[in-house]
């Protein structure tokens, strides 16, 4: 039985990847940080399954900055594959908490690579990099050759970690793959992310809530994909004969406005917009009720522009391409709202 170790197992990607690895017959070990309240809702269905938990799924306490524990878990579990997914994952929030973000997204990766360098049989490693490393790129579609120009502390830390991954691959012969991931969403996305904020509010509003959804720049756009497809690529990368870096993206751009329109339509609410920029509102076309309003409080100090990825290399080397993008992701998220595991079937 092959063994995988995941940092960030309780997160969106960690939970989907755990399901994928268990399906493929792996023993899965996950690092969980100790919190005063339970933070495992996304993997609770796996923990509750006595055939899985304690037999093929094991959790270990350990914060990212606890390198002694990380080393011990690595030595004890001897994983064949290591998926490093943990850390503060919100680019916007990194302006408010830059030091801890950089420690988690940057320095922790260095510590991990240093531990791996000392092991006799280091595992194959996946590092979760981000499109935010490109910041404001000069090319319309970014690929593995596009220069890094990060525009926020999170992007700076991810750029540092990504480059370190390359250095440790070349200088120390470690099998390290960087997945340069564009935004990927699901019903398991944290509620502070704009996509989940929209899908959750759409569902509540359709059920009669009287709230008004507040959003930042409606014309800001992203390359939004579907998380279960991205974790598949993470696994595929580690099965390759040679480690490399890969952009994971849909190649399409969707504005926040379009995402919201699709999510609301999925619950039978048609949005009509009026006003301009920071005074813009979205009304229900049927009743005229205000459902959505722009609040400049949610604008980012610096918004990355033109982030759309080109995954040609991933398609060429391991046949991966995103199947779900933009508005389709919005629909899948709305359909998955409210179910314990956030599962949804795409039509
Ligand atoms: P997520 O849902 O926010 O999950 C983050 C995970 O990291 C959680 O398990 C969290 O634990 C854990 N974590 C945070 N700080 C930690 C610490 N100090 N010590 C130990 N664990 C810690 O993120 P995700 O969407 O699954 O993303 C996975 C990775 O991909 C992240 O590195 C993210 O930056 C990167 N990425 C994601 C996207 C995307 O669109 N999803 C795009 C590009 C890159 P708790 O459950 O206790 O909070």
């Amino acid at each position: 039985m092959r063994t995988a170790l995941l940092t960030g197992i309780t997160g969106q990607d960690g939970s989907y990847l755990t399901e994928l690895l268990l399906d493929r017959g792996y023993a899965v070990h996950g690092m969980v940080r100790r919190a005063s309240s339970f933070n495992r809702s996304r993997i609770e269905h796996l923990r509750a399954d006595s055939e899985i938990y304690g037999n093929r799924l094991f959790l270990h306490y350990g914060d990212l900055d606890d390198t002694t524990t990380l080393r011990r878990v690595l030595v004890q579990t001897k994983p064949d594959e290591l998926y490093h997914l943990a850390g503060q994952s919100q680019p916007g929030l990194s302006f408010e908490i830059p030091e801890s973000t950089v420690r988690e997204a940057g320095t922790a990766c260095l510590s991990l690579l240093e531990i791996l360098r000392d092991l006799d049989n280091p595992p194959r490693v996946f590092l979760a990099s981000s499109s935010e490393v490109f910041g404001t790129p000069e090319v319309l579609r970014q690929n593995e050759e596009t220069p890094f120009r990060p525009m926020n502390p999170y992007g700076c830390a991810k750029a540092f970690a990504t480059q370190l991954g390359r250095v440790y691959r070349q200088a120390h012969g470690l099998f390290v793959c960087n997945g340069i991931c564009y935004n990927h969403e699901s019903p398991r996305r944290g509620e502070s992310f704009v996509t989940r904020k929209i899908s959750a509010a759409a569902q509540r509003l359709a059920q009669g809530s009287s709230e008004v959804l507040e959003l930042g720049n409606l014309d800001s756009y992203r390359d939004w994909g579907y998380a279960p497809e991205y974790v598949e690529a993470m696994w595929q990368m580690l099965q390759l004969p040679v480690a490399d870096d890969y952009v994971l993206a849909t190649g399409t751009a969707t504005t926040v406005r379009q995402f919201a329109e699709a999510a609301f339509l999925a619950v039978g609410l048609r949005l009509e917009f009026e006003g301009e920029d920071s005074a813009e509102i979205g009304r229900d076309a049927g009743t005229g009720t205000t459902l959505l309003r722009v609040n400049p409080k949610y604008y980012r100090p610096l918004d990355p522009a033109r982030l759309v990825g080109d995954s040609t290399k991933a398609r060429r080397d391991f046949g991966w391409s995103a199947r779900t993008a933009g508005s389709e992701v919005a629909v899948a998220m709305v359909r998955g709202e409210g179910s314990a595991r956030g599962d949804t079937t795409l039509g």
Side-chain angles (χ1 to χ4, degrees):
M1 190 189 291
R2 282 199 285 175
T3 302
L5 174 64
L6 276 66
T7 69
I9 192 170
T10 54
Q12 170 189 258
D13 292 2
S15 64
Y16 284 120
L17 185 59
T18 300
E19 287 168 2
L20 178 148
L21 292 167
L22 290 170
D23 275 354
R24 295 192 181 169
Y26 281 69
V28 179
H29 294 263
M31 302 290 298
V32 180
R33 62 174 158 172
R34 180 80 196 177
S36 55
S37 57
F38 272 124
N39 49 356
R40 302 171 193 167
S41 56
R42 295 185 183 100
I43 54 167
E44 199 46 49
H45 59 290
L46 300 173
R47 257 173 45 86
D49 186 333
S50 57
E51 290 197 358
I52 291 178
Y53 191 57
N55 289 317
R56 290 202 293 126
L57 173 64
F58 309 88
L59 299 180
H60 308 263
Y61 279 125
D63 199 281
L64 271 182
D65 63 9
D66 187 346
T67 49
T68 325
T69 304
L70 276 176
R71 182 186 297 275
R72 188 179 310 123
V73 172
L74 269 160
V75 168
Q76 280 172 357
T77 59
K78 296 186 181 52
D80 302 294
E81 296 167 17
L82 167 64
Y83 297 88
H84 179 42
L85 309 172
Q88 198 288 98
S89 63
Q90 263 185 275
L93 183 64
S94 76
F95 282 107
E96 279 173 53
I97 49 168
E99 286 188 42
S100 58
T101 300
V102 169
R103 268 200 306 276
E104 289 169 16
T107 322
C109 183
L110 172 61
S111 306
L112 197 58
L113 291 168
E114 273 298 287
I115 296 172
L116 296 175
R117 192 152 80 90
D118 292 340
L119 298 181
D120 290 336
N121 290 306
R124 293 182 163 213
V125 187
F126 173 83
L127 298 180
S129 179
S130 162
S131 55
E132 297 279 337
V133 298
F134 299 129
T136 309
E138 281 175 355
V139 287
L140 279 179
R141 274 164 201 261
Q142 303 84 49
N143 64 21
E144 297 76 8
E145 306 305 320
T146 306
F148 292 173
R149 295 171 62 185
M151 303 290 284
N152 53 52
Y154 170 87
C156 292
K158 286 288 188 190
F160 170 76
T162 310
Q163 192 58 29
L164 273 177
R166 291 172 177 171
V167 168
Y168 275 65
R169 183 166 71 213
Q170 286 159 12
H172 301 302
L174 290 178
F175 190 105
V176 180
C177 291
N178 285 302
I180 306 176
C181 303
Y182 282 63
N183 292 52
H184 45 280
E185 318 295 310
S186 76
R188 296 186 195 173
R189 193 60 145 150
E191 287 202 26
S192 47
F193 286 86
V194 67
T195 49
R196 183 71 201 291
K197 199 172 150 184
I198 292 171
S199 64
Q203 193 59 262
R204 287 193 302 268
L205 282 157
Q207 287 163 2
S209 163
S210 57
E211 70 196 277
V212 176
L213 169 64
E214 294 201 332
L215 297 173
N217 184 359
L218 294 179
D219 295 315
S220 173
Y221 68 76
R222 293 285 182 277
D223 179 331
W224 274 304
Y226 192 53
E229 296 170 11
Y230 284 58
V231 303
E232 224 172 280
M234 295 175 189
W235 177 80
Q236 284 178 303
M237 249 178 246
L238 294 200
Q239 315 312 310
L240 291 171
V242 180
D244 209 338
D245 300 338
Y246 292 96
V247 161
L248 302 178
T250 70
T252 62
T254 305
T255 61
V256 173
R257 184 191 305 276
Q258 290 166 329
F259 195 96
E261 280 171 340
F264 277 72
L265 205 55
V267 291
L269 297 169
R270 198 158 62 78
L271 277 174
E272 260 177 8
F273 291 94
E274 63 182 64
E276 277 180 24
D277 302 331
S278 60
E280 203 167 354
I281 57 168
R283 290 187 196 282
D284 178 354
T287 61
T289 314
T290 302
L291 303 172
L292 180 163
R293 135 177 358 115
V294 170
N295 185 340
K297 173 175 113 180
Y298 295 109
Y299 284 11
R300 273 202 210 176
L302 275 174
D303 204 17
R306 301 192 296 269
L307 283 184
V308 179
D310 173 3
S311 287
T312 304
K313 188 174 162 188
R315 189 161 55 249
R316 185 194 70 200
D317 287 5
F318 53 95
W320 183 87
S321 52
R323 302 183 293 278
T324 315
S327 300
E328 295 162 341
V329 177
V331 173
M333 289 180 72
V334 171
R335 286 195 191 147
E337 275 301 327
S339 79
R341 290 163 51 178
D343 282 347
T344 180
T345 309
L346 291 171

